Every structure is written in C-alpha cells, then in structure tokens.
C-alpha cells in the first residue's frame, strides 16, 4: 500500500509532522514538497525541528500568482503520480498546494484523503475558502477536526467517509507545549532576530501578533493594524511573514513603532513558547487561533469571520475589524470566561485515528 502526501506551506509541515510518523509505521509514504514556502525559516527549520522525513520530491515552485503557482504544481504532481501510482493521495488544509494535489489526483481517479476537511469561513473571496471547497468535493476520505466541519460537509451533500477525528495541530501543540517548558525565557529571547537589526530585549510580558492574510496586507490595512498595536500596554512581538516584510522595511513610520518588536519568523517550539506565555495574541492566522485556544491564551482575530467558530464561545477568541479603536477595545476590554474550556480539538490522538481509518479503508479497496 502506498500513499503520496503533498505539502508545501508552513502549517502543512506541522500537520504532516504528526501524521507522517504514524503513516510510516504501517504504510509506504512518498512525500512531495511543492516548494510554496521556501525560505529557511518558513520551511527547512520545520523539517529539522519536527523531524519530518526528507521529501522524496521537491517541486521548488516558489512564489507566483495563484494560477501560475497552482498550475505549475499540478504539472509537477501529475508526473509524480503517474510514476508512483499510489493507492491514495493525502492533502492538508487549504493552501494552493492542497488544491493542486486535489485536482491532479482527482483527474487521475486516485482517491484523495483530505485532513482538515469541512472548514468554512463562508467568504468565497478568500483563496483558502475556494481551495477548501474544491478539495473537499474531490476527496474520497474526509477527516474533520470538529463536529462543525462534518456539519458543513453534510450541508453541501458530502455524506460518505466523513470522520470527526480531532485536530492534528492539537496533537502537535499538546506534544510541543510540554517540551517548551524545558528552556527558560532567556533561551527563547536569545534566538530572536530583529528584521530591523535592533537589539532584542528580554521581556517580562508581551503580546504576540502575526498578520499575513491577503485582505490585511495592503499598505493602508497594515498601517491601521500597526498603529493599534503600537498603543497596547505591553510590547508586541511580531514574527513577520515574508509576504509583508518589504512593506514594513519600506514604511517610513517604522521608527515610530517603538512598542513593536519586528522579528524574523520563528520555529515551531519557539512559537508555542511565545504563544503560551503571551498576555494575548492578535492574529489573522487560522492555525494560531486554534493553538491559542488549546494553550488557553486569549486571541483577537483581525478578520470578519473565523472558521474556528468554537473558539468564540466564552470570548477565548474575539473578532476585531481592521480598525484602530476596535482592535484596541477588543484587546484591552474583553472579559474572558476561562472556566468554560472544552477540548473541542481532541486529546492529541487525531493522527493515530486518521491512520487507523486510512489503513482499514485502503485494505478494503485493495
Ligand atoms: C499561504 C496560504 C495560507 C497559509 C499561509 C501560511 C495559500 C493561498 N495561502 O499563504 O492559507 O495561511 O501560507 O503561511 O496557499 N514568501 C517568501 N518566502 C517563503 C514563502 C512566501 O518570500 O518562503 C512570500 C512570497 O513573496 C510570496 C508571498 O510570501 O509571494 C506569499 O506566499 P504564498 O505561499 O503564495 O502564500 P502565503 O501568504 O504564505
């Protein structure tokens, strides 16, 4: 039995780290890295730190428009699928690498396994929403992180082979948050690299922010968000996604942002440490909202909607408009119900459950 797994962007490395280890106990896995993320601190660092197997193929696609990136990936993936003829193709999440894998495998009638299926923002303008819906409708085995995911699929008429297994990112957070306690604050701060060549101080308390979504990364939107963060009551650590690094370096106002610490992207364990110990997190990332919930750190999401709707219960996660006053009031004034904190995302065994089901299903078809 053989599975081809396709990954390409940072959150997929974390997910694959958990699932690949389980797969390889029972099934032969061929790993394709599309090369969507290619900077050392967006890709290689995760492979090393999370002991992800070395990819058998790297397509080195790199940056480009959506169609160019997705199209080039499809051409490369198709060649490999024809050569390897796997029993199934495994895809994760909602990136362009996910969609390229789904279309390539779908047209060759190779069964598709989608991990993190059924996620919806109901905002079709997001590239991720388009990628999710198309990938789910091409998939044969759909693994949802929560009941909400299964319900979303049911509402779209996808009824067969849909499983709620918990969330593989939860597996990773639970594992690495224990490891994060091994080192002290000085250790984590000493590894940070400023993108402005400033010296990094060891902070007693901090907010943590990540902003990279297309809708938040134009010049005006970024300025509004940075203006708000600059007025918070503690320094804000900001690992800068390459998508917006140039915007920040070009910004004449960067020297005025004396409450913001602009740093290069950090590895997984470091991110878990800084998230777990932050006063609050301000983000537009999908995965980080969930990680905050699991680590019990309040999160403010600068978006109109979230896919992770469970996190909104009890104000563990709060949506803010990209407007200075709204961001400030949501960060500073919201009361959180810390006592209501169910384990929506499982208990850390999602990867194990996924592989057990895959094995059974593929054996049946073999
Ligand atoms: C992608 C995913 C998004 C996910 C995010 C995680 C899509 C449509 N979006 O967004 O869902 O949340 O990854 O980070 O697939 N770049 C570099 N070096 C890199 C990677 C990117 O410089 O290693 C720059 C390039 O200029 C590129 C831009 O970042 O044009 C955007 O990268 P891309 O991979 O297209 O999308 P992300 O914004 O990372």
């Amino acid at each position: 039995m053989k599975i081809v797994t396709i990954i390409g962007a940072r959150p997929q490395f974390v997910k694959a780290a958990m699932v690949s280890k389980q797969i390889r106990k029972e099934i032969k896995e061929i790993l394709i890295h599309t090369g969507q993320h290619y900077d050392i601190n967006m890709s290689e660092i995760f492979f090393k730190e999370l002991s992800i197997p070395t990819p058998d193929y790297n397509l080195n696609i790199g940056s480009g428009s959506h169609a160019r990136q997705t199209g080039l990936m499809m051409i490369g993936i198709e060649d490999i699928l024809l050569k390897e003829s796997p029993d199934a193709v495994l895809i994760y999440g909602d990136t362009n690498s996910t969609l390229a894998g789904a279309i390539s495998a779908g047209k060759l009638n190779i069964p598709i396994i989608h991990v993190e299926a059924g996620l919806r923002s109901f905002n079709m303008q997001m590239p991720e929403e388009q990628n999710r819906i198309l990938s789910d409708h091409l998939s044969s085995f759909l693994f949802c992180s929560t009941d909400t995911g299964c319900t979303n699929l049911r509402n779209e008429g996808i009824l067969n082979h849909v499983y709620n297994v918990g969330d593989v990112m939860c597996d990773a957070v639970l594992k690495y948050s224990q490891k994060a306690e091994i080192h002290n604050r000085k250790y984590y701060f000493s590894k940070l690299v400023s993108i402005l060549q400033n010296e990094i101080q060891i902070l007693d308390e901090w907010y943590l922010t990540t902003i990279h979504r297309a809708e938040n990364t134009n010049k005006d939107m970024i300025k509004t968000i940075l203006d708000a963060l600059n007025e918070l009551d503690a320094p804000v650590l900001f690992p800068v996604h390459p998508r917006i690094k140039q915007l920040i370096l070009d910004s004449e106002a960067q020297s005025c942002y004396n409450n913001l610490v602009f740093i290069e992207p950090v590895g997984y364990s470091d991110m878990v440490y800084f998230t777990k110990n932050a006063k609050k997190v301000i983000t537009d990332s999908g995965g980080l909202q969930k990680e905050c919930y699991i680590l019990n750190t309040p999160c403010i999401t600068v978006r109109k909607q979230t896919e992770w709707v469970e996190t909104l219960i009890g104000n563990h996660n709060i949506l803010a408009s990209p407007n200075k006053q709204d961001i400030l009031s949501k960060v500073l004034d919201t009361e959180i119900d810390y006592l209501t904190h169910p384990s929506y995302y499982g208990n850390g065994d999602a990867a194990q459950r996924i592989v057990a089901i895959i094995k059974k299903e593929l054996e049946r078809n073999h």
Side-chain angles (χ1 to χ4, degrees):
M1 230 181 312
K2 192 200 274 184
I3 288 182
V4 166
T5 296
I6 298 167
I7 55 178
R10 195 165 52 172
Q12 292 164 335
F13 306 145
V14 178
K15 293 166 196 166
M18 297 296 114
V19 181
S20 281
K21 276 190 199 85
Q22 292 296 332
I23 289 181
R24 285 172 189 237
K25 288 183 189 166
E26 326 233 16
I27 301 170
K28 181 169 172 59
E29 184 187 44
I30 302 289
L31 191 59
I32 304 180
H33 186 338
T34 62
Q36 176 168 355
H37 285 174
Y38 47 88
D39 287 349
I40 290 175
N41 55 19
M42 297 289 287
S43 175
E44 196 180 313
I45 189 173
F46 291 86
F47 280 81
K48 281 197 180 137
E49 186 188 348
L50 304 178
S51 311
I52 304 168
T54 308
D56 299 276
Y57 299 91
N58 192 327
L59 302 177
N60 290 312
I61 300 300
S63 307
S65 67
H66 288 289
R68 168 164 284 277
Q69 202 177 43
T70 312
L72 290 172
M73 287 175 193
M74 282 166 58
I75 294 168
I77 293 168
E78 185 181 59
D79 285 345
I80 300 168
L81 296 182
L82 287 170
K83 184 174 155 212
E84 297 285 350
S85 43
D87 297 288
V89 166
L90 171 58
I91 54 174
Y92 292 99
D94 55 18
T95 71
N96 290 341
S97 300
T98 315
L99 180 63
I103 296 177
S104 311
K107 299 267 174 163
L108 294 173
N109 292 320
I110 301 171
I112 300 164
I113 302 160
H114 188 198
V115 171
E116 208 180 82
L119 207 60
R120 297 289 182 268
S121 65
F122 303 100
N123 173 1
M124 271 298 260
Q125 292 192 331
M126 290 174 69
E128 292 84 358
E129 184 77 351
Q130 300 175 17
N131 292 343
R132 285 174 199 134
I133 293 177
L134 294 167
S135 299
D136 280 340
H137 282 263
L138 286 168
S139 292
S140 303
F141 304 105
L142 299 102
F143 293 101
C144 303
S145 302
T146 62
D147 278 336
T148 312
C150 298
T151 306
N152 290 338
L153 292 176
R154 210 174 305 128
N155 291 342
E156 291 175 21
I158 302 177
L159 307 173
N160 296 325
H161 303 295
V162 172
Y163 308 93
N164 175 8
V165 285
D167 191 286
V168 293
M169 276 180 119
C170 179
D171 297 9
V173 178
L174 293 178
K175 178 171 174 190
Y176 284 87
S177 64
Q178 282 171 1
K179 290 191 177 178
E181 298 304 325
I182 297 170
H183 299 289
N184 61 17
R185 201 154 32 110
K186 193 171 161 209
Y187 165 86
Y188 287 104
F189 273 89
S190 70
K191 289 165 73 186
L192 299 181
V193 178
S194 161
I195 68 164
L196 306 175
Q197 271 104 47
N198 294 334
E199 198 182 316
I200 309 273
Q201 310 289 330
I202 300 176
L203 301 169
D204 290 330
E205 53 171 17
W206 61 87
Y207 291 97
L208 176 69
T209 197
T210 72
I211 299 289
H212 74 273
R213 292 274 169 194
E215 65 262 31
N216 281 333
T217 47
N218 67 55
K219 208 170 161 186
D220 293 340
M221 210 62 104
I222 275 289
K223 183 175 179 320
T224 305
I225 296 170
L226 296 183
D227 285 349
L229 299 176
N230 200 41
E231 291 193 12
L232 288 177
D233 56 341
V236 182
L237 282 182
F238 189 165
V240 176
H241 189 289
R243 176 192 269 281
I244 63 158
K245 186 171 176 180
Q246 206 51 48
L247 262 181
I248 289 176
L249 292 176
D250 290 347
S251 150
E252 285 169 27
Q254 57 167 267
S255 53
C256 313
Y257 291 128
N258 45 21
N259 197 39
L260 295 178
V261 186
F262 296 108
I263 52 174
E264 294 288 351
V266 300
Y268 186 70
S269 309
D270 299 17
M271 195 63 185
V272 168
Y273 174 84
F274 286 113
T275 304
K276 189 175 181 184
N277 294 291
K279 267 169 89 82
K280 292 186 182 178
V281 169
I282 303 98
T283 190
D284 62 3
S285 150
L288 189 54
Q289 295 170 50
K290 200 169 43 184
E291 287 163 347
C292 284
Y293 182 83
I294 295 160
L295 295 169
N296 220 350
T297 301
C299 183
I300 293 81
T301 298
V302 187
R303 278 183 50 198
K304 291 196 190 84
Q305 64 284 112
T306 177
E307 299 79 8
W308 303 109
V309 288
E310 312 78 16
T311 59
L312 300 175
I313 300 165
N315 284 337
H316 291 277
N317 186 17
I318 304 137
L319 299 178
S321 338
N323 148 317
K324 188 171 164 186
Q325 265 330 306
D326 199 45
I327 294 173
L328 281 172
S329 70
K330 297 278 167 62
V331 176
L332 297 172
D333 302 335
T334 311
E335 298 273 336
I336 295 141
D337 177 5
Y338 285 102
L339 294 177
T340 312
H341 194 251
S343 311
Y344 300 121
Y345 303 107
N347 305 309
D349 61 356
Q352 229 172 308
R353 295 175 67 187
I354 288 170
V355 175
I357 295 169
I358 293 177
K359 194 168 168 256
K360 212 164 116 200
E361 291 286 0
L362 293 186
E363 269 167 4
R364 193 178 307 167
N365 294 345
H366 222 253

